[in-house]
Amino acid sequence: MSTTDPLLGSTFRERANEQLANAFLRVAVPKATDHAVATLRNRYRDHDYDGLRELGREIRERAVGDLDRYLDELIAAFERNGITVHRAPDAAAAREIIRGICREEGARTVVKVKSMATEEIRLNPALEADGITITETDLGEYVVQLDDDRPSHLIAPIIHKTKAEVRASLSRVAGRELPDDAAELTAFARGELRDAFMDADVGISGANFGVAETGTIVLVTNEGNGRMCTSLPRVHIALMGIERIIPRLEDLAVMLPLIAGAGTGQLITTYVNMISGPRRDAEPDGPERMHVVMLDNGRRSLLGTRYQEALHCIRCGACQNVCPVYRQVGGHAYGWVYGGPIGAVLTPLFRGQKDGGELPQASSLCGSCDDICPVKIPLHHLLLNLRHDRTAAGEVPRHERIAATLWSYAWSSPIGYRLSARLGRLGIGLLGRRPAAPRWTGPLAHWTQGRALPRPARRPWHRRVR
Ligand code: SF4
């Protein structure tokens, strides 16, 4: 994995333009995300999915609203279960804690379960610098690692890759041309990963949920790699964002179907691992030692602010699936770890206005993300608030500020609205007389770069209604 931070040195527009030139991505991403959304809708056609979402929202609100209390409860329960708990205020501290554990254990090989938190702290380059061999064990993440690439979707990391590309990557490892058959390619990767599991000194995972009541880490996967990573190596380290807490074990009855349904349309993922400590005396397998690293990295600073609800996110990827911007440009355009609507919210909050402030502009504010989010995060309101913050910070170009002020002034009264609409009609009408589909030029050219300017109706809607 590259050690450079992808956010630095490029703008969203530059990254998006690069992705828009990828014809495969623009077909494959909408196709895959449409499939996930259709499966979800079919699955819950005859059920009260909205009621389930409301229960999920309540659970997340309760957990995040009383975070310190539940964190104390969770940490006490972890320690009762024989788990060593570490607190990491930021990414650097988390990396150092994990490096320290690996050093103490004399670890040379590590296997990893897919974890966005480990991407967030850029763990792999830090461990590699210590001479440790890391193997990503989720199939998609494995291919990402082989290609020195980055995941482009929260739960489908290689949504941007063709089968031919995957085949070429695996063939490189095999040292021969592998057949063009998905089952055979998977079987080959499976064989490679088996060896890595058997040899690993340490297994590293994230945590989909941490149950405060019982001190349990919950992992959901569809490939079984989570179970292998957390039971075969002699040490297990889980990196958990402090907000991924749920109060009670029974809350899983709501959260498990929500995360599976929103992510892939499943009722429940193929594997659900509930890990409550290292191996006990009578148990035949499991790690000898278990550590949990509790990651803050900007999360606590959102408590009590108008962005607190961003902490309710369970990283299911559903908002990416329906976002008209994400579906065209994919995850890499967002520059950091999290793409799509939740990425456009989290990146400026975690990285600051300077690095991620432009991302909330990458939204049509259509609200599809709000409608699908399994825990009802009001994403488009958060995006609007972030736009306000950006304006207040003076980060918006002068011409945009002047245009928005004039627009707001004109549309604040019926007469201003009618006059501006008439002028707009006149202007578009003049452009529309051109033989080709009209396109704007100058500073407004971006609006019509990828689409034709519509011709105005012969009789405006208002007049027809009247
Ligand atoms: S914001 Fe909602 S839909 Fe998007 S990843 Fe988080 S939980 Fe899923």
Side-chain angles (χ1 to χ4, degrees), residues 427-447:
I428 296 174
L430 285 175
L431 283 173
R433 287 212 193 110
R434 292 183 189 171
R439 307 225 180 257
W440 283 342
T441 52
L444 299 176
H446 291 299
W447 284 84

Side-chain angles (χ1 to χ4, degrees), residues 395-428:
E395 298 281 337
V396 177
R398 198 154 161 262
H399 68 268
E400 262 184 56
R401 277 208 312 275
I402 293 172
T405 309
L406 289 176
W407 189 359
S408 150
Y409 187 69
W411 283 26
S412 296
S413 70
I415 189 161
Y417 173 79
R418 280 195 207 108
L419 194 65
S420 61
R422 211 164 271 189
L423 284 174
R425 235 179 103 65
L426 197 68
I428 296 174

Side-chain angles (χ1 to χ4, degrees), residues 106-127:
R108 303 315 314 154
T109 50
V110 164
V111 280
K112 265 189 70 211
V113 190
K114 184 173 122 45
S115 149
M116 296 313 285
T118 62
E119 297 281 341
E120 185 183 319
I121 67 165
R122 301 192 65 70
L123 180 63
N124 288 16
L127 293 183

Side-chain angles (χ1 to χ4, degrees), residues 290-311:
M290 181 173 169
H291 300 258
V292 174
V293 181
M294 310 287 301
L295 178 69
D296 184 337
N297 207 29
R299 289 158 171 80
R300 191 173 284 282
S301 70
L302 304 186
L303 292 174
T305 71
R306 56 184 178 162
Y307 299 114
Q308 180 164 313
E309 281 169 289
L311 297 175

Side-chain angles (χ1 to χ4, degrees), residues 372-403:
I372 201 158
C373 176
V375 288
K376 296 194 170 181
I377 299 174
L379 285 156
H380 91 271
H381 289 287
L382 300 183
L383 290 166
L384 270 173
N385 290 341
L386 284 160
R387 288 185 183 189
H388 286 143
D389 289 355
R390 185 164 179 251
T391 309
E395 298 281 337
V396 177
R398 198 154 161 262
H399 68 268
E400 262 184 56
R401 277 208 312 275
I402 293 172

Side-chain angles (χ1 to χ4, degrees), residues 154 313-319 342 373-375 377 379:
L154 282 171
C313 176
I314 56 172
R315 309 284 192 268
C316 68
C319 57
I342 189 61
C373 176
V375 288
I377 299 174
L379 285 156

